[in-house]
Structure formats: structure tokens, C-alpha cells
Amino acid sequence: MDNIINEVKDITNKPYQRYERLDQILTEIKILAPTYFDGICMSDEYKDKVRDIDNTIIRFPVEYICDTSPQFRDIRNVNNNITKSKRRDTFKIEDYLDYVVYYARKKLIGNRNLRKNFNTFDLINTCYEVSSFVKEGAEKCDLECHIIRIEPGFDSDAQLLNGMGYHYFNIIKYQDKYYLVDVSYSQFFTKRLTNFSRMGVPFIIPPMTGSYMVLDNYRNKVATIINKFGWIELTDEVIKAYFDGFALSYRNALYYEGKRLLYKTKYTAKDYKNFLIGEDSQVHYEGTRVLGYQREPIKNPYRNYSKRK
């Protein structure tokens, strides 16, 4: 394992064919994993070493698996209205949502040039901060805004990723419609966290949400809109697509042993609403063994989990 740690560090410094080499390295770890398993749990030595490996991977440069370039509509008139006027019905809701997203992006990136730098800014672990900025911006527009937390497996008690892996986003209500705002969403589409070779490695986070969003045409459309504009109207179809990405990302390779790689769920928009308010959870239907950190080796370390559209 020490040699593997050094190989990962070498990839960081010598990035030629970085992800091809990483796929090979992660396969090596899957092959070695049973030697660190006592039939009940993985050894502490293994956990420590693989944590070092994953922490190194997370520091890889920000590259994306799809186009996540943000778009910026002209919000100067809206900004002037919010700054100088007490009237908040001058513009359409779409204009105010664009303002809220711009406000949050600008607050996050600070003095940097927003249009040039936002897509190169590392958004990992910024979701709570960004969702707070969204709420600030929404309050300036007199919009009802809520910060929502997603737990791995939609179950806070399960601790599927040892208390980590949660995500914050916002829901804005205007009249009888709801809008999902997720300004940090592109963090789930970085190459370092979406390669399917991660699947099957004990105690490495499974491939992130973006891995699954790009595999389905409608999910990909929803993801593209959110990544570019920061918000989308929250219909039942969007709820299903958006949360399917998370539900799929919580499954580890044990879920697929003896099964075809069908990256879909049977959950409905109503199910996800119940998950979010704590009346039900993904864990209730799938159990903790196949969700979150994989805590034991898989049977076939050579299985390929990649799947094109």
C-alpha cells in the first residue's frame, strides 16, 4: 500500500494520463483489499492508508466531466431596483433568481473576476456557505428562501460516510411555485470524484452525483441548467432527476453484486419529499451495507462499473 500511496502522489506531480493511471491504481487497491479484511471489518492500517490516498486525489486540479461553465444574465437593472427601491414586483421572478445566484457567486469568490474565475474556483465543501449567501440574496428580494440539507442515504442517524458527505442547497418559494437553487452544484462533476474506478474500493467515497447525472438525457439536462444558471423550477420531474443523482451516488459496489448496472431508482418525487422531511429514507429500503462507505471487499475487483449514455 505504501507503494500505491507514492504512485498517487506521483500522479499529482506528473499528470500525464492521470486518470488512466488512477484507474489502474484503484483496481490494485481492490485486489489488495481482502488481505486487510478479517472477515468482519477492514483493518485500521488499511483505513488510514486509503484515507491518505483519497485525500491526495481530492487535491487534484479542478477539471470537469461536462460543461459546467456558468452563464451570467444582465442583472444591472434588477440590482439597481433592489438597491434603491422598496418595490420588489418590478421584475419577473426569473430576474430576481438570476440576481440571487449572481449575489451568492460574487460573495463566494470575493474580489476575483467572477466571469473569468468562477468555473475554476474549487467549490468542494462550500455548499453551506453558498446556501447562506443565497438566503441573504433572496431576503434582499423579499423572497421566501429555505436552506435544505441532504444527508447520505437521506438518513442522519445512519452515518453512512462517518458524519460527512451531506449537501446544502436552497428552495425559494414565490406565489404558488418553488425553485431549486444550488450554486455549488458543479463540485459534484469534477473528474477527481466522478471516475467509476472509485466504485468497489473499501472506505473511498463512491462516485459523486455528477457521474450519474450525465448518464441520462433528462438528468443531464437538469444538471446543465443548474450548473449554468444556478436555479431551476422545482417540478416533480426535476425533483426525481436531481435527487436520483444523490441516491445513486450513495450506493456502493456491494449494491450491484449479482445485479446489472442499472443506474436508476424507483423513488418518486413524493418519496424524495418524504425523505427530506425525515418521514422515510433510502436507508429504510436499501440498508446500510450497500450505502455509503463500502466496509468490506467486493467479490470481483476487476468489474468495470463505467456505463455510457
Side-chain angles (χ1 to χ4, degrees):
M1 284 289 281
D2 290 333
N3 289 336
I4 291 176
I5 293 172
N6 290 331
E7 286 183 61
V8 175
K9 291 178 179 177
D10 186 59
I11 291 175
T12 306
N13 299 321
K14 300 175 183 177
Y16 176 68
Q17 292 188 327
R18 172 179 285 143
Y19 287 98
E20 291 85 350
R21 294 171 66 194
L22 182 60
D23 289 346
Q24 296 169 359
I25 289 169
L26 293 176
T27 298
E28 289 179 38
I29 298 174
K30 295 175 205 178
I31 295 169
L32 286 173
T35 65
Y36 293 89
F37 185 64
D38 64 5
I40 299 175
C41 61
M42 303 297 296
S43 70
D44 289 339
E45 180 189 0
Y46 171 88
K47 294 177 189 177
D48 290 341
K49 291 181 183 296
V50 85
R51 188 181 298 113
D52 288 342
I53 291 169
D54 210 16
N55 286 338
T56 302
I57 294 171
I58 287 172
R59 292 195 295 269
F60 282 4
V62 178
E63 302 173 73
Y64 296 99
I65 59 173
C66 59
D67 181 12
T68 60
S69 303
Q71 292 192 13
F72 300 92
R73 297 187 176 111
D74 188 348
I75 52 101
R76 284 174 294 182
N77 290 333
V78 183
N79 183 57
N80 290 337
N81 171 256
I82 292 168
T83 304
K84 299 175 181 178
S85 172
K86 293 183 178 180
R87 290 192 60 189
R88 297 292 182 265
D89 56 356
T90 308
F91 295 92
K92 297 182 295 184
I93 180 59
E94 293 83 0
D95 298 317
Y96 287 114
L97 290 167
D98 287 341
Y99 169 83
V100 168
V101 169
Y102 185 91
Y103 178 90
R105 286 172 171 170
K106 188 63 179 173
K107 286 273 287 190
L108 179 67
I109 204 169
N111 294 325
R112 298 176 182 86
N113 184 297
L114 186 59
R115 296 174 188 271
K116 288 183 178 180
N117 295 300
F118 189 77
N119 205 44
T120 62
F121 192 80
D122 195 344
L123 292 173
I124 191 168
N125 297 327
T126 64
C127 59
Y128 181 72
E129 183 180 21
V130 178
S131 62
S132 298
F133 294 153
V134 168
K135 189 171 176 60
E136 283 180 23
E139 288 173 349
K140 288 178 177 290
C141 303
D142 296 330
L143 294 173
E144 180 182 340
C145 179
H146 303 274
I147 297 175
I148 310 296
R149 174 167 164 149
I150 310 174
E151 296 282 354
F154 302 92
D155 189 325
S156 59
D157 294 329
Q159 297 286 295
L160 296 177
L161 295 173
N162 295 346
M164 303 298 288
Y166 47 83
H167 179 58
Y168 290 93
F169 69 100
N170 301 81
I171 292 178
I172 288 178
K173 182 178 185 293
Y174 178 74
Q175 296 180 351
D176 60 346
K177 291 185 177 181
Y178 294 86
Y179 300 88
L180 184 152
V181 183
D182 193 341
V183 175
S184 70
Y185 192 50
S186 62
Q187 68 177 296
F188 299 114
F189 294 79
T190 57
K191 285 186 178 181
R192 62 193 178 193
L193 295 175
T194 53
N195 51 316
F196 277 99
S197 55
R198 299 178 70 87
M199 188 73 88
V201 183
F203 286 92
I204 275 187
I205 297 173
M208 288 285 192
T209 301
S211 312
Y212 305 95
M213 295 302 287
V214 300
L215 293 179
D216 173 89
N217 287 332
Y218 185 71
R219 290 202 302 256
N220 190 48
K221 179 181 177 181
V222 169
T224 300
I225 292 171
I226 297 172
N227 279 324
K228 286 190 172 297
F229 300 109
W231 65 270
I232 190 170
E233 185 177 342
L234 198 56
T235 64
D236 280 354
E237 292 77 15
V238 168
I239 291 173
K240 165 72 175 168
Y242 178 79
F243 290 110
D244 269 357
F246 285 99
L248 291 166
S249 75
Y250 300 141
R251 291 173 177 169
N252 62 49
L254 296 174
Y255 179 88
Y256 297 101
E257 290 205 318
K259 298 178 183 177
R260 293 172 58 201
L261 295 178
L262 292 176
Y263 292 139
K264 299 180 179 180
T265 83
K266 295 182 180 179
Y267 303 124
T268 65
K270 183 177 180 181
D271 291 327
Y272 286 124
K273 291 174 187 177
N274 287 333
F275 289 179
L276 289 178
I277 63 176
E279 290 190 357
D280 204 352
S281 76
Q282 183 180 5
V283 171
H284 177 224
Y285 297 98
E286 299 178 26
T288 57
R289 179 174 177 267
V290 301
L291 297 174
Y293 278 137
Q294 183 182 309
R295 300 175 187 274
E296 60 188 85
I298 51 176
K299 294 177 182 177
N300 179 9
Y302 297 101
R303 187 177 188 185
N304 185 354
Y305 293 89
S306 297
K307 190 173 182 181
R308 296 181 179 179
K309 285 185 183 181

